[in-house]
Amino acid sequence: MRASGIVIAIDGPAGVGKSTVGKMVAKRIGYSFISTGKMYRALAWKALANGLGLEDDEKLVALARSLRWEFPKGAGPEADVSLDGKVLALELSEESVSRASSSIAKLPGVRLFMKDMQRQAGLSGGVVMEGRDIGTNVFPDAELKIYLDASPEARAKRRVGQLKEQGMPADHAQILDFIVKRDAQDSGRKNNPLRKADDAHYLDSTSVPRDQVVEAIVELFKAAVK
Ligand code: C5P
């Protein structure tokens, strides 16, 4: 066991509920929660704001290095990252940021920067970390690995619900199309593609209520720390 507990890695495709479930699990067991998706989104958002090319690995890494990264707790349900003291929340869920984050996530330099930062953040344990490559690349030594899955249809439906709640426009067919394309990009890339780690527990949440998914992970956690 690490100083503050174990590392729980939750990986899976876009819109599967990794953040919601991960936060609920973290709260239940008194762990902190880290969304690595938000890290890629925050860098993408900043790159777009600065008019930086999304293919320029070197410039993106230099930008990432120049920023002060913090992961505030309790700053709001969607606020997981702050850059130079600015808490980023709803701006990170814009579709342009989703696409840009998936695009910069292909670049090896960007990925290495993120991996270092993510390892630093989780090394002492007591953390639930969600992403695409946590169990395979960032923490291959995580004591508990979950691969959370759901059909693209179910994920699109959930996303439409979320956007409507936030008062944002939502078109099911378009969102389904975005999800399928982002899946293909995240699974098809050369560097640390989305895939289930061999030793990860596979949970399909297509027709399972969220509370039950949380319950299942809490049970796996209890068994892992026994
Ligand atoms: O999970 P979320 O949709 O917020 O992630 C945004 C993008 O960041 C993903 O489409 C993926 O390309 C990238 N990402 C990644 N590795 C992670 C987390 C996210 O490549 N560990």
Side-chain angles (χ1 to χ4, degrees):
M1 183 103 77
R2 304 160 202 265
S4 313
I6 67 168
V7 171
I8 303 179
I10 305 183
D11 291 303
V16 75
K18 301 183 295 292
S19 283
T20 313
V21 163
K23 277 185 187 174
M24 288 165 80
V25 169
K27 202 167 169 201
R28 279 276 299 276
I29 64 176
Y31 271 28
S32 56
F33 170 78
I34 291 179
S35 162
T36 65
K38 290 276 169 67
M39 297 179 184
Y40 285 94
R41 283 173 184 270
L43 182 59
W45 175 82
K46 191 73 183 175
L48 290 174
N50 289 8
L52 227 62
L54 298 176
E55 304 288 330
D56 195 332
D57 202 9
E58 254 175 56
K59 283 214 174 101
L60 286 163
V61 172
L63 172 65
R65 287 219 176 95
S66 74
L67 298 163
R68 182 161 50 86
W69 293 79
E70 283 160 318
F71 310 106
K73 291 182 184 72
E78 294 302 329
D80 301 307
V81 179
S82 89
L83 290 183
D84 290 342
K86 177 180 167 50
V87 174
L88 300 173
L90 284 183
E91 51 269 74
L92 297 190
S93 44
E94 281 166 25
E95 208 43 61
S96 57
V97 176
S98 302
R99 266 194 300 251
S101 62
S102 185
S103 183
I104 64 166
K106 286 186 290 194
L107 305 171
V110 167
R111 296 209 69 84
L112 210 55
F113 172 88
M114 294 294 176
K115 179 179 175 177
D116 284 348
M117 186 161 67
Q118 291 155 11
R119 278 200 68 84
Q120 280 299 323
L123 217 50
S124 56
V127 67
V128 178
M129 191 175 284
E130 70 83 29
R132 300 290 189 292
D133 63 337
I134 310 306
T136 52
N137 176 48
V138 180
F139 279 103
D141 54 343
E143 290 81 359
L144 177 59
K145 299 180 187 177
I146 309 290
Y147 188 91
L148 192 58
D149 207 358
S151 71
E153 268 294 336
R155 289 184 278 134
K157 208 169 136 202
R158 260 183 227 152
R159 182 84 186 116
V160 168
Q162 272 173 357
L163 287 170
K164 284 195 172 151
E165 244 171 54
Q166 295 167 0
M168 286 156 94
D171 176 79
H172 181 85
Q174 195 185 39
I175 286 173
L176 181 60
D177 183 54
F178 281 152
I179 282 185
V180 170
K181 285 203 179 109
R182 203 139 63 88
D183 281 358
Q185 191 159 23
D186 289 345
S187 310
R189 69 174 172 231
K190 201 170 78 202
N191 301 308
N192 320 121
L194 168 68
R195 68 169 182 83
K196 178 189 163 301
D198 292 340
D199 53 350
H201 298 268
Y202 181 86
L203 299 181
D204 187 342
S205 69
T206 302
S207 47
V208 182
R210 192 136 292 171
D211 286 355
Q212 266 180 44
V213 176
V214 172
E215 210 49 54
I217 299 176
V218 170
E219 287 308 311
L220 288 167
F221 163 75
K222 286 183 189 160
V225 292
K226 227 189 222 164

